[in-house]
Amino acid sequence: MMKSIIFYHHFIENIKDFLDGNGIEAYHNAGKWTHIITKNNEGLSLIDKALLEAFPNANIANEYYRIDNCIYESLAEGYKKDGEFNYHQWRLLAAVEHENAWNDWSDELVKLAYIQCPLRVVISYGDYDFDKGEYTNAIDHANKVAEAINLKRYIHDDEEFVLIFGPRTSSIKNNRDISQLYKAYIWNGKCFQKI
C-alpha cells in the first residue's frame, strides 16, 4: 500500500499548490483541468509529478497503451540492438487514468483491471457525501463493477489499485476546500475501501 499512499499524498499536494496559485478557474473548466492534470504542455502534469515522487528515476509516458499517464523503468542501460531487431527492456510501474465525466469513469476501472503493473489509479469526480465524508455512491458503484468483472482475479498481492475521487463543481461549497475533498479508496482484495 506504500506506493499508492505516496502517489495520493503528492497528488493532493500538487492539486492544493495549483489551486492556491489561482488555479480555481481551471478546476471549473473540464477541458482546462484535464490538460493541467494529465498533459500539461508547460511542464509536468499534476499526475506526472506525483508519479515521479512515487517512482523516482523512472520515465514518464503519456497515452502509452492509450492510458493517460504511465511511468516505467528501463531494465537495461541505453538502447540495444539484437542483430537487426531493436531490443527493448522496460517494466511498467504505474498506469493512471483520469476521467472528467463523473458518471462514466467505470470504463477506466475495467481498462486498468487488465493492465499488469504494481500501481493502477483511476481519478474521477463525484457527489461528495458531507455527512459520511466520502463518495458513497461512487464507491458503491465501483464495488459492483469490481464484483461483476471479478477484479480480485486480476490484482496480485504485490499490486495496488486505487480510486481517487474529487468533488464535482456542484459539490463544492468553498473553493478553498477542494483539495481536502479528494478521497482515495484502495482495493483490499475484496472491495475498495477508504484509505
Side-chain angles (χ1 to χ4, degrees):
M1 186 158 63
M2 194 58 162
K3 292 297 184 184
S4 58
I5 291 172
I6 293 169
F7 174 85
Y8 173 64
H9 287 296
H10 284 286
F11 179 66
I12 297 308
E13 283 301 311
N14 293 341
I15 288 174
K16 185 180 181 320
D17 291 346
F18 180 79
L19 295 176
D20 288 349
N22 298 319
I24 295 295
E25 179 186 323
Y27 192 85
H28 293 280
N29 179 310
K32 284 183 183 177
W33 185 245
T34 296
H35 175 76
I36 289 162
I37 208 161
T38 62
K39 301 170 193 61
N40 190 357
N41 292 338
E42 290 83 44
L44 291 172
S45 71
L46 301 183
I47 291 172
D48 290 342
K49 288 177 185 178
L51 283 170
L52 287 168
E53 291 291 339
F55 299 95
N57 304 316
N59 305 291
I60 296 290
N62 296 108
E63 291 298 335
Y64 204 71
Y65 294 122
R66 297 193 44 87
I67 295 170
D68 290 337
N69 302 76
C70 295
I71 194 163
Y72 67 94
E73 68 179 342
S74 295
L75 300 176
E77 287 296 317
Y79 181 75
K80 295 187 178 198
K81 290 282 239 181
D82 182 15
E84 61 187 53
F85 295 100
N86 297 335
Y87 191 62
H88 297 277
Q89 295 182 59
W90 55 270
R91 181 172 79 104
L92 185 63
L93 299 172
V96 181
E97 277 290 348
H98 173 263
E99 179 55 59
N100 259 334
W102 68 272
N103 60 353
D104 198 28
W105 51 264
S106 63
D107 184 47
E108 311 295 5
L109 187 159
V110 174
K111 178 198 285 190
L112 293 187
Y114 302 108
I115 300 295
Q116 187 178 0
C117 60
L119 177 61
R120 301 168 221 185
V121 181
V122 173
I123 302 168
S124 193
Y125 305 88
D127 291 319
Y128 187 73
D129 184 338
F130 283 90
D131 293 333
K132 294 184 179 179
E134 62 181 293
Y135 294 89
T136 309
N137 292 340
I139 290 307
D140 288 347
H141 179 67
N143 285 324
K144 286 178 190 172
V145 171
E147 185 177 345
I149 65 169
N150 197 15
L151 183 62
K152 64 184 173 191
R153 189 172 108 196
Y154 302 103
I155 310 297
H156 301 127
D157 290 341
D158 60 342
E159 298 173 348
E160 300 171 74
F161 200 134
V162 179
L163 303 178
I164 300 174
F165 290 98
R168 292 176 59 200
T169 53
S170 61
S171 293
I172 298 171
K173 295 179 179 178
N174 179 339
N175 280 334
R176 287 173 284 168
D177 296 334
I178 292 173
S179 64
Q180 294 173 15
L181 296 178
Y182 273 80
K183 304 296 177 196
Y185 303 82
I186 191 161
W187 178 254
N188 68 10
K190 297 178 185 172
C191 65
F192 287 99
Q193 68 180 31
K194 191 172 171 184
I195 291 179

